[in-house]
Amino acid sequence: MIVLTSQQMREVERIAIEKMGIPSICLMENAGKEVACEVKRVMEENGLSSAVVIAGRGNNGGDGYVVARNLYNWGIDVKVFVIGSIGSISGDARVNLEAIRNLGIYVAEVTQKEHLKFLEKTLKDSDLVVDAIYGTGLRGEVTGLAKEVIELINQSEKFVVAVDIPSGLNADTGRVEGAAVKARITITMHFLKPGLLIYPGIEYAGEVKIADIGIPSRLAAEVRPSYHYVVPQDVALKSRNPDTHKGDYGKVLIVAGSRSMTGAAFMAAKSAVKTGSGLVRLAVPLSIQPVIQSALYEAIIYGLNEEGGVISYKSLSQILELIEQSDAVAIGPGLTHEGEVSKLIEDVIRNTEKPLVLDADALNALVGRLEVVKGKRVILTPHYGEMARLTGLKVEDIKNNIFEVARSFVRRYEVTLVLKGARTVIATRDGSIYINSTGNAGMATGGSGDVLTGMIVSLLGQGFEEEKAAVYGVFYHGKAGDVAKKSKGEYGMTAVDILESIPEALSEGLKG
């Protein structure tokens, strides 16, 4: 699903107005009418009878005036408060403001602190708030009266419907710019915005709905969208050809495990099997080979040279030989970073051109050695902590600017990046950003990342390009977590539950 930045959305609107000849006031009318219809539905379903529209001086405020006019025409008690001087409002917003004043709808200015008390009383006496203060054009931190108004809205604990984006939320990053409205529903115009799809934006937007405001959707291509929200129709799976054999579905190798972390190796290999690999090879330290073999019947288990239960550098030639027999390789789960593991991983990467998935301890091995992956067919799968170690950035700095951090990283190292989090973000070599839509809090459990590694390498082995393997793998990993949640709940879910739910998740993809 296409996602547009605030700048791209403005450009699409400009093209619609200037090249397609769609009057700007028609777009405002359509936007306000869509929001009004949703507000009316909410009020009827919840037995609410009065609303207050809080508007800014720009086009977002203009949308709010259209909302007020429609609510009034439907017999709903509505009042309007304008943050700023009414005399400063111009253009289409001014036309719609004059229309509601001519109808006799109550309109009040909020231009000084003394006006806040009456607004606070009105909020207390009203059932629902329409937030039309700022749209996607917000620049800089919210301060002054606008900030105090936003705080009053949140303190009122009323049902809030936001127009386009909650006021104070950065539409492109999801950051709160000083203060932001906490909405129950956000009606965004024609296309999703990145800031609505990641935290903390998700918490402020509530349920997000897309309003058709009369812009031809094909105009999005004119601005070359690079953001995508991954939904089921984007990752539909094809049924397999009946006339096939295991060789048609890829041979994958997973290098994983140590004496104290046999589970990580098992989880990664088993998930590759469950995701449909034709043949899975698992290379582990020799001492744990019997343990893994007794629990994992569907994979071929190889014992590697080791020192103290950890794969040793002496296994390099054996690993490279196994890689030559494989279509795709995953390295990292449970390896530890003891001994010469880091040097071993570096030299494995240097000596192969096969597609690689690097996770967990393989990522730790890359700290200070990242140039080795540049231009290789590599998928990196760090969580925020691992990404901080790789980049030298603080975790909070990554979270606050996740898209630019991911895109800059990929631009520099020419890899595919899967940045794992509550909303996993995939950045690809062509500059695209994919935001995943599946998954839940129950997946924050040990071994979940190992399952993802196995799924991605399985898809690589089956012939998926790196970008597609990453996007599909992340989506169906989250989908498996959602399936597991239905029977196990978020508290009791384990990585094994996610793993066992992979077949059902993939089956649902076939239905799509």
Side-chain angles (χ1 to χ4, degrees):
M1 180 181 291
I2 290 172
V3 179
L4 296 187
T5 65
S6 55
Q7 182 179 349
Q8 288 172 330
M9 188 64 209
R10 285 194 298 275
E11 180 62 13
V12 165
E13 289 175 344
R14 186 193 67 79
I15 295 169
I17 294 164
E18 295 181 7
K19 294 186 178 181
M20 304 298 291
I22 301 172
S24 58
I25 200 162
C26 288
L27 298 180
M28 184 174 288
E29 180 67 25
N30 293 342
K33 183 67 176 289
E34 287 287 318
V35 176
C37 286
E38 179 63 21
V39 170
K40 182 172 180 283
R41 182 194 66 79
V42 167
M43 296 184 77
E44 289 175 347
E45 290 184 359
N46 293 277
L48 309 179
S49 60
S50 61
V52 56
V53 176
I54 305 181
R57 292 176 294 172
N59 285 340
N60 197 247
D63 295 342
Y65 307 142
V66 176
V67 174
R69 171 163 46 82
N70 280 280
L71 295 181
Y72 177 84
N73 290 341
W74 294 329
I76 294 171
D77 178 15
V78 59
K79 293 181 176 63
V80 176
F81 286 80
V82 180
I83 312 304
S85 169
I86 287 175
S88 65
I89 297 170
S90 60
D92 295 337
R94 182 74 190 192
V95 173
N96 281 298
L97 174 59
E98 290 304 321
I100 65 171
R101 294 176 80 186
N102 291 337
L103 283 171
I105 296 174
Y106 180 87
V107 180
E109 290 181 334
V110 179
T111 58
Q112 49 189 302
K113 290 180 73 72
E114 288 73 15
H115 296 153
L116 294 175
K117 288 191 177 297
F118 183 59
L119 172 60
E120 184 176 14
K121 181 181 184 305
T122 304
L123 286 170
K124 183 178 179 181
D125 294 339
S126 299
D127 297 321
L128 180 143
V129 180
V130 176
D131 162 33
I133 305 170
Y134 295 116
T136 58
L138 174 68
R139 294 292 178 270
E141 189 169 308
V142 178
T143 59
L145 277 176
K147 183 175 182 180
E148 293 189 64
V149 169
I150 288 172
E151 289 170 349
L152 284 179
I153 293 172
N154 291 339
Q155 290 165 12
S156 74
E157 299 184 346
K158 299 295 182 178
F159 197 115
V160 178
V161 177
V163 178
D164 208 8
I165 195 157
S167 293
L169 191 69
N170 188 302
D172 296 333
T173 67
R175 287 197 305 263
V176 174
E177 302 290 1
V181 170
K182 277 208 163 185
R184 291 273 291 277
I185 297 176
T186 297
I187 313 297
T188 199
M189 303 310 159
H190 222 89
F191 296 100
L192 290 169
K193 315 304 182 301
L196 297 171
L197 303 175
I198 57 170
Y199 289 91
I202 291 170
E203 296 175 320
Y204 285 81
E207 181 183 1
V208 177
K209 298 188 176 186
I210 303 172
D212 183 346
I213 62 172
I215 294 175
S217 294
R218 62 184 172 83
L219 294 186
E222 303 259 345
V223 298
R224 298 181 180 179
S226 58
Y227 288 87
H228 309 271
Y229 187 50
V230 185
V231 294
Q233 55 265 39
D234 298 324
V235 289
L237 296 170
K238 296 179 181 179
S239 297
R240 288 186 166 184
N241 188 333
D243 186 20
T244 54
H245 56 83
K246 66 182 180 182
D248 295 320
Y249 299 112
K251 300 183 288 291
V252 303
L253 171 68
I254 298 171
V255 183
S258 58
R259 183 174 294 170
S260 60
M261 287 186 278
T262 57
F266 171 87
M267 223 78 83
K270 186 75 171 183
S271 67
V273 172
K274 292 277 188 182
T275 306
S277 290
L279 181 64
V280 176
R281 296 186 176 99
L282 175 62
V284 299
L286 184 62
S287 62
I288 69 170
Q289 181 185 12
V291 177
I292 300 290
Q293 189 72 70
S294 66
L296 185 62
Y297 306 119
E298 304 93 339
I300 302 172
I301 317 299
Y302 294 85
L304 301 176
N305 291 316
E306 64 168 273
E307 292 181 10
V310 177
I311 294 173
S312 75
Y313 190 81
K314 294 177 183 177
S315 64
L316 176 62
S317 60
Q318 186 181 1
I319 292 172
L320 292 176
E321 184 178 341
L322 289 171
I323 287 175
E324 283 303 305
Q325 303 167 29
S326 305
D327 298 307
V329 183
I331 307 174
L335 283 180
T336 81
H337 47 84
E338 297 176 15
E340 295 182 296
V341 169
S342 294
K343 177 62 176 170
L344 170 65
I345 291 170
E346 180 182 6
D347 283 354
V348 168
I349 295 169
R350 287 189 188 281
N351 288 283
T352 185
E353 298 303 319
K354 295 290 178 73
L356 301 172
V357 182
L358 303 179
D359 182 40
D361 290 309
L363 297 173
N364 293 324
L366 291 176
V367 175
R369 296 182 169 95
L370 270 170
E371 293 298 327
V372 73
V373 303
K374 188 171 183 177
K376 295 273 188 176
R377 297 179 62 189
V378 168
I379 300 173
L380 303 180
T381 62
H383 54 59
Y384 290 125
E386 291 163 338
M387 190 66 178
R389 290 193 288 275
L390 288 172
T391 61
L393 297 171
K394 295 179 180 178
V395 169
E396 283 308 307
D397 292 336
I398 295 171
K399 287 184 174 182
N400 286 335
N401 206 13
I402 186 171
F403 298 129
E404 189 51 42
V405 168
R407 187 172 273 142
S408 296
F409 185 91
V410 168
R411 191 182 301 124
R412 177 173 179 180
Y413 296 108
E414 301 172 23
V415 294
T416 300
L417 177 69
V418 174
L419 186 47
K420 297 183 292 192
R423 279 284 170 88
T424 294
V425 169
I426 302 108
T428 63
R429 295 182 192 217
D430 66 359
S432 295
I433 294 285
Y434 295 85
I435 306 163
N436 190 48
S437 64
T438 58
N440 60 79
M443 299 178 72
T445 184
S448 179
D450 305 321
V451 174
L452 175 61
T453 297
M455 294 183 74
I456 293 175
V457 76
S458 176
L459 294 171
L460 274 177
Q462 292 175 57
F464 285 55
E465 293 297 323
E466 291 98 297
E467 173 185 303
K468 194 173 180 182
V471 171
Y472 276 58
V474 169
F475 180 89
Y476 285 107
H477 177 251
K479 186 68 175 175
D482 292 338
V483 170
K485 177 183 173 180
K486 292 176 185 176
S487 58
K488 304 296 183 180
E490 290 186 344
Y491 279 89
M493 186 193 308
T494 67
V496 171
D497 296 324
I498 300 169
L499 189 158
E500 295 298 336
S501 299
I502 292 172
E504 185 176 339
L506 296 174
S507 293
E508 292 190 19
L510 283 170
K511 294 174 187 175

